[in-house]
Amino acid sequence: MKATDLTLSHLSLAALAALLPALATAQSLTSPEIESRIDELLGRMTLEEKVGQMNQYASFQDMTGPAPEEGSARERYEQIGQGLVGSMLNVLGAEATRRAQELAVEKSRLGIPLLFGYDVIHGYRTIFPVPLGEAASWDLEAIEASARVAATEAAAAGVHWTFAPMLDIARDARWGRIMEGAGEDPYLGSMIATARVRGFQGTDLSALDTVAACAKHYAGYGFAEGGRDYNTVDISEQTLRNVVLPPFHAAAEAGVATFMNSFNEIGGVPATASVHLQREILKGEWGFEGFVVSDWGSIGELRAHGVAADLSEAARLAVVAGSDMDMESGAYVGHLAALVESGAVEEALVDEAVRRILRIKFRLGLFDDPYRYSDPEREERVLSNEAHRATARDVARKSIVLLKNEGGLLPLRKQGGTIAVIGPLAADKDAPLGSWRGQGAVDSAVSLLEGIRAAVGTDTRVLHAEGMTLIAGTRDFGVAPVFAEDDRSGFPAAVEAARQADVVVVALGEGAFQTGEGRSQVDIGLKGLQDELLREVRKANRNVVVVLMAGRPLVIPWMAENVPAIVNAWLLGSEAGHAIADVLFGDHNPSGKLPATFPRHAGQIPLYYAHKNTGRPATDSVFTSRYIDMPNEPLYPFGFGLSYTTFELSAPRLSATEMNPGEALEITTTVKNTGTRSGAEVVQLYVRDLVGSVTRPVKELKGFERVTVAPGESKDVTFTLSAADLAFYTAAGEWEAEPGDFQVFVGSSSRDVKDARFTLK
Ligand code: NOJ
């Protein structure tokens, strides 16, 4: 899918050069030279050494999963020297990685370097918006730049490999990990997957500012029943192919070095033991040449799933299914050699897994210099690079979504008057960092209060009152968040500040550790007394701007109804406060769009724009697919987001109303800025396949284009839609477009669209 802004038809050379990296083909993970070096090395390895390459342990420096059943740090480090460990995760810093690497290189018989992995999810030291927030930018260049900064910092701290991007499509905001992905849509998810892989990996894995990426969690993890983490998934092959897999396929096409499988089962088969997912689709159909790592302990968990009686059987199932590396189960290192010796597992499977792992180590340049990423001097220099914060601020402000702005309350004036900054998150320097904050230091984010103070003139009075505290858990993965709070003693001061002010900015939402792994919730409204505080403040002053900080869409019906302005600011990372102030005071005109639907009520979940029509689409009649106590419609739909200006989009103009297979259609809309400020609109293209061999969604995103338009000006945006863009997994099990009638929509959200029709011959 290619979108072209017609006004850009005369591209300058500089603009063309900027486009070139996007057009470059993905780097291949293999080369004849590397394969022959692998042949030579494999020929010298004992079975135990081969299995060692397939074993990954965590250091105890950062525990990102349940504590292992056995094995002390000392024993693990000893095993490195014995050649029984191929990779470590959570070894932190140039110094520590160098020391661990010395054990592998200098003590083990063959000196094969270790691979160091870490969860660099949205930044290493400089923290960027949570991935769901970044996805709201719909700005692929910004997202790529964010991943590149993260890679640059991580690679300088000894990390070779990030466990990102997370590509799980998520349509249930109760699931705490919705925060880690790009939201609900496979097309947006695929574009962002490609941008993130490119940002992390660049065009050369051995460069000092790139790391190997990992497409996770393969697959279906976001479809956990009830939104409860790790829970059962039971989806059809149609949903798997049409909704879940496209971002993974895009990552594979972009040359991602590794995949991580997922904790969940799908239809009775745990992903870690799934031959269908790993061997048939990933390594078969897609020809993936990198390796697959299990998730933390997921091989061992095959016992709890009830498909393996013991760890040995779990190891056999996983290796047969194509899980190449065992993260934290000790299943391979404990049992695989015996399984091969007894004939239960073919040695060829082990050889294949080791080949894949060594391939990535060669690609990273580790055999040329195993210490290339472990230079403490470079680490210090790179981690204190101020330019990284500027990039983080830019991405953060692009991620903000303006949900409501009644009466043009925003942007605020910088000069004169009184602003009250209220709420439990107003002065919080930690919450914006989120729960997967890499090595972002505690309390290192710019708070909203700091951001506002830095932005306003000296003649503006800024009052601050917390109103209440929000207890939202700790980073400790063993401890679930606590929401007990009933202390209203801060309310009077907050109400008084609101009374004295011309405008009140109220910061509400979620604490850092309320979303993320293991942070599922049944209630995704505002926790604790926040709603109550907001009502009190609103009584004292009508000019309320809510700044909502959260890692998931929240359910906010009262706020949406009663507060004039709402700025959805996710968890924006290190520069959060500055970025929000940029938007509040109009230095940046917001253009973010929701990558996930905001429901009116958690009872509507799963709620997503690309739903099916059903046999009884909703009308006023009882006998249709609806609730009797609430509309089907969301509070804010996918793709929605306001600007300080207004845009009008014309109905789509089609270059033809019929398309033959192999042909393409041009769809043009004119975007007019009908307001008084310059602004950017993300124009969205959706399609509906009216009759298919299987039921098709009522709308599917097929393209988007950001266009900046001056007040009063109009610009044409043209999308090119080819027959291939209409393909899906059909009833016949083929990926193809079916002839027939289509509806095509252009719009500023999935709800606000204008349509036309065409026929595919
Ligand atoms: C478990 C998580 O599911 C995965 O995303 C993460 O990469 C690993 N733990 C390692 O921390």
Side-chain angles (χ1 to χ4, degrees):
M1 163 70 22
K2 228 180 87 222
T4 326
D5 179 345
L6 280 190
T7 59
L8 297 181
S9 56
H10 302 292
L11 278 176
S12 69
L13 274 184
L16 258 182
L19 276 175
L20 279 181
L23 302 175
T25 48
Q27 55 190 321
S28 163
L29 296 172
T30 58
S31 77
E33 191 220 328
I34 286 177
E35 297 310 302
S36 72
R37 287 175 80 181
I38 295 173
D39 288 339
E40 189 276 326
L41 189 51
L42 263 175
R44 290 193 286 132
M45 292 170 83
T46 64
L47 178 58
E48 280 69 24
E49 285 166 338
K50 290 178 189 171
V51 170
Q53 287 304 304
M54 299 166 71
N55 182 34
Q56 185 191 50
Y57 284 141
S59 86
F60 295 99
Q61 272 182 284
D62 190 4
M63 287 306 282
T64 54
E69 288 165 25
E70 52 196 46
S72 64
R74 171 194 284 266
E75 282 161 4
R76 292 176 166 205
Y77 280 91
E78 275 168 15
Q79 287 188 33
I80 296 175
Q82 293 158 5
L84 297 178
V85 184
S87 171
M88 291 290 291
L89 73 149
N90 302 353
V91 180
L92 300 174
E95 202 52 63
T97 48
R98 175 173 281 270
R99 280 201 307 272
Q101 194 66 297
E102 277 166 6
L103 291 174
V105 172
E106 274 145 48
K107 285 245 161 70
S108 75
R109 189 180 74 91
L110 293 170
I112 300 176
L114 286 170
L115 185 63
F116 294 111
Y118 191 51
D119 290 284
V120 186
I121 306 298
H122 51 110
Y124 181 82
R125 173 65 53 76
T126 309
I127 304 304
F128 285 75
V130 293
L132 185 66
E134 279 191 4
S137 72
W138 295 52
D139 187 327
L140 302 174
E141 269 171 42
I143 291 170
E144 183 175 337
S146 153
R148 175 51 53 80
V149 168
T152 305
E153 293 188 354
V159 174
H160 305 146
W161 173 29
T162 175
F163 303 126
M166 190 197 92
L167 305 179
D168 299 307
I169 297 296
R171 296 174 163 183
D172 188 336
R174 293 172 300 181
W175 190 51
R177 301 196 82 169
I178 192 172
M179 167 280 264
E180 274 178 73
E184 71 182 47
D185 184 67
Y187 178 82
L188 181 62
S190 300
M191 300 302 277
I192 291 177
T194 304
R196 290 205 166 117
V197 169
R198 203 183 282 144
F200 286 130
Q201 296 195 164
T203 49
D204 176 7
L205 274 184
S206 73
L208 291 179
D209 61 350
T210 61
V211 291
C214 181
K216 74 184 188 186
H217 306 85
Y218 188 70
Y221 187 35
F223 281 70
E225 282 179 0
R228 205 181 72 213
D229 210 357
Y230 318 116
N231 202 9
T232 306
V233 173
D234 202 345
I235 53 173
S236 66
E237 190 71 10
Q238 296 290 335
T239 302
L240 180 73
R241 299 276 189 167
N242 289 324
V243 181
V244 171
L245 294 188
F248 289 99
H249 192 196
E253 294 278 290
V256 72
T258 70
F259 267 60
M260 183 187 291
N261 57 34
S262 55
F263 290 122
N264 57 283
E265 66 160 88
I266 303 185
V269 182
T272 306
S274 172
V275 173
H276 182 50
L277 284 173
Q278 297 170 110
R279 290 229 181 262
E280 291 173 4
I281 298 178
L282 176 61
K283 295 177 179 178
E285 291 175 29
W286 301 349
F288 174 64
E289 290 166 333
F291 72 87
V292 179
V293 64
S294 82
D295 203 347
W296 181 292
S298 71
I299 298 180
E301 288 171 18
L302 296 177
R303 293 168 297 178
H305 276 293
V307 296
D310 53 36
L311 201 55
S312 166
E313 203 175 340
R316 185 181 61 77
L317 286 174
V319 77
V320 166
S323 299
D324 301 307
M325 185 182 278
D326 171 3
M327 181 194 289
E328 270 299 310
S329 290
Y332 286 176
V333 73
H335 299 279
L336 203 45
L339 284 164
V340 170
E341 273 152 9
S342 71
V345 166
E346 284 174 50
E347 188 161 357
L349 291 185
V350 171
D351 287 349
E352 187 222 309
V354 176
R355 173 177 295 280
R356 289 171 177 273
I357 293 164
L358 293 176
R359 195 176 274 154
I360 302 306
K361 292 188 177 185
F362 274 110
R363 269 281 172 239
L364 284 160
L366 294 176
F367 284 95
D368 304 324
D369 176 5
Y371 305 109
R372 60 193 295 137
Y373 301 98
S374 300
D375 170 357
E377 236 173 63
R378 194 172 88 239
E379 176 180 35
E380 204 184 309
R381 189 166 20 90
V382 171
L383 295 193
S384 57
N385 184 343
E386 278 300 310
H388 294 174
R389 297 216 39 144
T391 311
R393 179 172 179 165
D394 180 58
V395 178
R397 60 194 209 166
K398 288 175 171 161
S399 304
I400 291 171
V401 184
L402 181 63
L403 294 178
K404 189 174 178 190
N405 190 22
E406 216 170 65
L409 180 57
L410 290 172
L412 305 177
R413 280 191 308 136
K414 279 186 185 171
Q415 308 295 340
T418 301
I419 303 175
V421 187
I422 289 173
L425 296 170
D428 195 323
K429 293 176 63 58
D430 202 61
L433 301 175
S435 61
W436 274 124
R437 59 192 42 199
Q439 287 300 293
V442 173
D443 285 338
S444 61
V446 177
S447 73
L448 173 61
L449 181 63
E450 289 171 327
I452 289 179
R453 285 206 166 120
V456 295
T458 44
D459 56 347
T460 302
R461 212 157 61 108
V462 178
L463 307 174
H464 170 234
E466 197 177 35
M468 58 175 283
T469 53
L470 188 64
I471 309 164
T474 69
R475 189 179 193 189
D476 185 339
F477 275 81
V479 182
V482 184
F483 303 106
E485 43 205 54
D486 55 4
D487 181 359
R488 294 176 177 78
S489 59
F491 276 32
V495 169
E496 185 47 36
R499 254 193 216 115
Q500 289 182 24
D502 300 300
V503 62
V504 190
V505 178
V506 191
L508 303 172
E510 296 187 322
F513 301 97
Q514 223 176 307
T515 41
E517 186 178 350
R519 269 85 177 182
S520 295
Q521 292 181 183
V522 293
D523 171 10
I524 55 168
L526 291 170
K527 292 285 188 196
L529 303 174
Q530 296 186 87
D531 240 329
E532 210 180 299
L533 175 69
L534 180 60
R535 285 169 201 244
E536 292 303 313
V537 167
R538 170 69 181 71
K539 267 190 240 159
N541 192 325
R542 300 175 64 83
N543 294 330
V544 173
V545 178
V546 171
V547 172
L548 203 54
M549 301 186 192
R552 54 159 65 88
L554 292 181
V555 168
I556 47 165
W558 188 87
M559 182 193 300
E561 186 72 19
N562 295 286
V563 160
I566 306 173
V567 173
N568 195 62
W570 312 105
L571 302 173
L572 288 178
S574 303
E575 290 287 310
H578 288 321
I580 300 168
D582 287 343
V583 166
L584 292 180
F585 296 104
D587 292 329
H588 177 79
N589 189 353
S591 61
K593 301 277 186 178
L594 294 178
T597 302
F598 270 50
R600 287 169 198 269
H601 191 286
Q604 295 176 303
I605 293 173
L607 188 66
Y608 49 95
Y609 84 92
H611 61 82
K612 303 292 185 67
N613 202 38
T614 81
R616 292 190 174 190
T619 66
D620 288 344
S621 159
V622 163
F623 299 111
T624 59
S625 181
R626 61 196 281 268
Y627 301 102
I628 58 171
D629 56 351
M630 190 162 281
N632 286 3
E633 282 67 41
L635 194 54
Y636 300 111
F638 174 84
F640 175 78
L642 301 171
S643 161
Y644 291 149
T645 189
T646 45
F647 299 101
E648 210 179 86
L649 270 63
S650 74
R653 304 188 293 279
L654 274 51
S655 58
T657 51
E658 290 189 347
M659 168 161 56
N660 289 310
E663 284 181 5
L665 204 64
E666 293 204 329
I667 298 142
T668 302
T669 179
T670 305
V671 184
K672 181 166 189 206
N673 183 337
T674 50
T676 52
R677 285 170 172 262
S678 172
E681 177 64 303
V682 178
V683 183
Q684 300 156 43
L685 177 79
Y686 296 89
V687 156
R688 178 172 181 180
D689 185 345
L690 290 163
V691 179
S693 60
V694 292
T695 60
R696 306 292 298 129
V698 295
K699 264 185 209 122
E700 288 181 285
L701 184 71
K702 292 291 177 188
F704 58 89
E705 176 77 356
R706 168 184 308 279
V707 59
T708 301
V709 193
E713 195 195 353
S714 292
K715 275 189 184 173
D716 282 353
V717 172
T718 297
F719 297 96
T720 308
L721 190 71
S722 72
D725 296 321
L726 303 172
F728 66 100
Y729 191 73
T730 65
E734 300 292 337
W735 187 263
E736 60 188 13
E738 292 177 340
D741 292 340
F742 289 78
Q743 221 173 341
V744 58
F745 312 82
V746 290
S748 54
S749 79
S750 60
R751 183 191 58 200
D752 307 301
V753 293
K754 290 182 174 154
D755 72 313
R757 287 189 178 220
F758 69 90
T759 305
L760 176 65
K761 289 298 198 185

